[in-house]
Structures are given as C-alpha cells and as structure tokens.
Amino acid sequence: MNNLEFALEMKNKRLASGLSQGELASLTHVSRYSINRFENGKANASKETQNVILRCLNYYVCDKPFYLLVDYLSVRFPTTDELEVIRKVLGMKADYFIHYDYGYYGYKEHYAYGEIKVMASDDEHMGVFLELKGAGSRNMEYVLQAQNRDWYSFLNRCLDCGGVIRRFDLAINDKAGILDIPKLKEKYKAGECISYFRMQKDYSGTEKCGSDLPKNTGETLYLGSTSSELYMCAYQKNYEQYVKNGTEIEDTEIKNRFEIRMKNERAYYAVVDLLTYRDAERTAFSIINQYVRFVDEEPDKRKNDWKLNDRWAWFIGDNRQS
C-alpha cells in the first residue's frame, strides 16, 4: 500500500470508527503529530506502523471483531443402541442418516448426516461415539436452530444421557486482524510470553503446490504439546482460505483464528464451566488467561514487571470497547 492509499484508508476508517486523532495516537502509541501527518499524506509511515494503525482501526470499525464457536466435539455414550442416541440426543430421525458398513477409531459401522457422524459397535465398552468436527459442528448448529435449541441445551442433553466428553474445541475468529501471528511468534522467541505450558512450538508457512504456483499456507503458532489434554493453536486463517478456496487474502472475512483444543478431563471441565455460566466468551478467555499471556518487556525483569501487550489486551478484552 503506497502512502496516498494508506492515508485515504486511515482517514476513512478513523472517521467511521468515531476516534479522534488523539485517541488513535493513544491506542497505537504513535504520536498525534505523526498521526496527523500520515493522514494528510505529509509523511510516510513504515509498513509496521501502517499495520499497527490499520489493525487498531479495523478493530473499532468492525461491528463484531471477534466471534466464538464450537469447532469440535466428540462424546462417547454408554450404550450400543446408536439409533437411540440419534433420536434422544440429536433429536433427529434415523431415516435422515446414511448408514455405512464401516466405521472409524475401531468402530464397525457409522451413520452420517452431512458431517454429523455417529459410530456404532457391539462392544459395550466402546459404546456409541458421536463426532462433530468443524463442518459437523456447523451442521449441528443448523439442526439445533431448526429445533429451537442451542449448544447449551444440546450439551446438557449429552451429559444427561451419560455422555463422556472426549474432546471439545473452542475457536475464536479474528475478523479485524488484531492477532498478528508472526508478531506473536517473535514475542514468544524473545521471551515475551508468560505461559504455563511445558512445550511450545511454531511452524512457519509452508508452500503447497497445485495446478497453479505454490501457495503459502501462512504462519501457525502452537502453545503447549499437541499430545497433552489442553493446548492452543493460532494461525492465519486467511492464508488457509486462500489455499483451499482461492479467496484473495485481503478479501477473506476471517483473518486469524485462535483455537483451544481440549481432551478428556479438561474437555469435561470446560463444558461444565460453559453450562454453569452460559457465557462462551467467559469460558474461552478464562482458559486462555490461565495458561498464556503475551506482554511487552519492561526495563527491570528482576521485578517481574510486565505490561500486557496492547494487541493481546484487545484480544482478551482488557481494551475492548465499553
């Protein structure tokens, strides 16, 4: 983006957000004098400064900069009657499902309605296994909407029917581009990440070859071991959509995604918390704050004097709009 394009976008978005130049300066830690000169095309902003300013403005312009969804759910039921699970738990007719004489994870057969999958076995120890991956969770939302139900009532039904939560993932979609994944990776490597995780790793973008030129899959940061009962993953969703669907990166609605992936006991406690408070944001961000924070280094480390990173504060809610 050249200087004139940036100046025009910056001014339009600042006016749309209702922020004054002084307020924008305070939020971005860029002087008001520089903000004024950038906006009037009298000075050139570096690429990094452009990103900081536009990310802030995108946050305040966007009606819903973040939204949270269930991205994965798997539940095992102590029964061998898969049709009863379909009727009683899902509240659906078994006739709607397609039967397959093979299954996954050691199950002998399964029933599918779109990506909603119900695994069946004669082994009482294995029981009936319900799996809702990403697309399956979206299918389930449509079903619940048609039934005038929501995730809370559905999860309650799962537990009431003796279901054992095996996996539960919550995903936070970042529409404003506040989560700068490459910057988070830099901060982690610089020791500016306070975390209780024993193991953290990151993956740079990879090139995937197809019929066209290779496509960059974007940056990914894993927080925690993928073999543990709880870990987190942040990645550039717009690059993923570019590779999958050919959508231009700048036109993608969701810029980044932050996922909390939980198994077994951790998954169960997250579901209980969700059903107790009926506030998905509270559940998700309380888990995040318990395990990880990105900070800006203060002059004296010995005093453990850290200031929360501004973009991270926007993400977790400390600097949210009132």
Side-chain angles (χ1 to χ4, degrees):
M1 180 180 300
N2 63 40
N3 187 50
L4 291 177
E5 290 173 337
F6 169 68
L8 181 62
E9 183 172 353
M10 175 183 170
K11 184 172 183 177
N12 288 339
K13 287 186 175 180
R14 184 184 65 78
L15 293 175
S17 70
L19 294 173
S20 67
Q21 290 185 346
E23 289 170 330
L24 179 59
S26 177
L27 289 166
T28 58
H29 301 293
V30 177
S31 71
R32 186 188 180 286
Y33 175 76
S34 295
I35 292 289
N36 180 271
R37 287 176 61 80
F38 294 154
E39 191 170 289
N40 290 291
K42 295 180 179 179
N44 295 330
S46 67
K47 184 176 180 180
E48 182 175 356
T49 301
Q50 287 186 13
N51 285 336
V52 169
I53 292 173
L54 291 180
R55 285 176 190 274
C56 178
L57 289 172
N58 286 339
Y59 175 83
Y60 281 93
V61 168
C62 189
D63 291 335
K64 196 174 183 181
F66 303 111
Y67 65 92
L68 190 146
L69 46 82
V70 174
D71 197 51
Y72 196 114
L73 174 69
S74 62
V75 189
R76 184 181 66 81
F77 295 93
T79 178
T80 57
D81 191 343
E82 65 277 6
L83 300 183
E84 181 184 8
V85 170
I86 291 174
R87 291 191 299 267
K88 192 172 180 180
V89 178
L90 299 179
M92 302 174 69
K93 294 182 179 179
D95 294 343
Y96 295 164
F97 284 74
I98 299 175
H99 174 258
Y100 296 90
D101 59 2
Y102 64 90
Y104 305 93
Y105 316 121
Y107 287 87
K108 62 178 290 188
E109 58 184 331
H110 80 280
Y111 294 76
Y113 177 83
E115 293 301 316
I116 299 173
K117 295 180 180 179
V118 179
M119 317 287 176
S121 172
D122 296 331
D123 186 342
E124 292 184 2
H125 178 72
M126 295 183 68
V128 173
F129 188 71
L130 168 66
E131 183 179 53
L132 305 173
K133 292 185 177 180
S137 294
R138 305 289 74 75
N139 291 162
M140 195 67 227
E141 285 175 350
Y142 288 124
V143 171
L144 293 173
Q145 185 178 21
Q147 297 173 343
N148 291 317
R149 292 200 292 166
D150 54 24
W151 279 109
Y152 302 116
S153 62
F154 176 66
L155 290 169
N156 259 321
R157 177 67 63 85
C158 288
L159 296 181
D160 288 344
C161 292
V164 177
I165 308 296
R166 300 304 305 272
R167 180 171 167 181
F168 185 55
D169 292 4
L170 292 171
I172 303 166
N173 286 330
D174 171 18
K175 295 172 63 178
I178 292 299
L179 284 174
D180 187 337
I181 309 302
K183 181 63 68 175
L184 291 182
K185 290 173 62 176
E186 287 179 14
K187 294 185 75 62
Y188 162 64
K189 292 176 181 178
E192 295 178 12
C193 175
I194 301 173
S195 172
Y196 286 100
F197 289 119
R198 290 183 179 180
M199 180 188 210
Q200 300 176 105
K201 60 183 178 179
D202 63 79
Y203 292 101
S204 297
T206 56
E207 299 290 333
K208 288 191 175 181
C209 297
S211 56
D212 301 321
L213 294 174
K215 296 179 178 180
N216 189 344
T217 61
E219 302 287 336
T220 301
L221 173 66
Y222 282 92
L223 299 166
S225 169
T226 55
S227 61
S228 66
E229 289 199 347
L230 187 153
Y231 69 96
M232 301 176 190
C233 172
Y235 61 95
Q236 294 176 302
K237 184 73 173 177
N238 50 359
Y239 279 86
E240 180 192 68
Q241 293 303 304
Y242 170 60
V243 172
K244 285 184 177 180
N245 306 319
T247 307
E248 291 299 327
I249 293 173
E250 60 271 15
D251 295 333
T252 306
E253 180 187 17
I254 303 169
K255 309 303 180 186
N256 306 296
R257 174 175 281 186
F258 192 98
E259 296 180 357
I260 309 168
R261 301 175 180 176
M262 297 163 284
K263 291 183 284 189
N264 302 324
E265 190 175 72
R266 288 302 316 173
Y268 169 74
Y269 284 131
V271 169
V272 170
D273 187 88
L274 188 66
L275 294 177
T276 300
Y277 296 99
R278 289 182 169 257
D279 186 339
E281 284 197 6
R282 180 200 178 281
T283 297
F285 287 110
S286 64
I287 294 171
I288 294 172
N289 281 325
Q290 180 181 353
Y291 283 89
V292 63
R293 284 206 166 195
F294 287 89
V295 296
D296 287 328
E297 187 176 355
E298 290 293 292
D300 192 351
K301 286 185 183 179
R302 292 172 299 178
K303 296 180 180 178
N304 197 28
D305 189 12
W306 301 89
K307 180 171 74 70
L308 201 62
N309 177 256
D310 284 331
R311 294 182 197 172
W312 187 251
W314 286 333
F315 174 61
I316 64 171
D318 284 16
N319 285 350
R320 296 278 183 88
Q321 295 160 285
S322 59

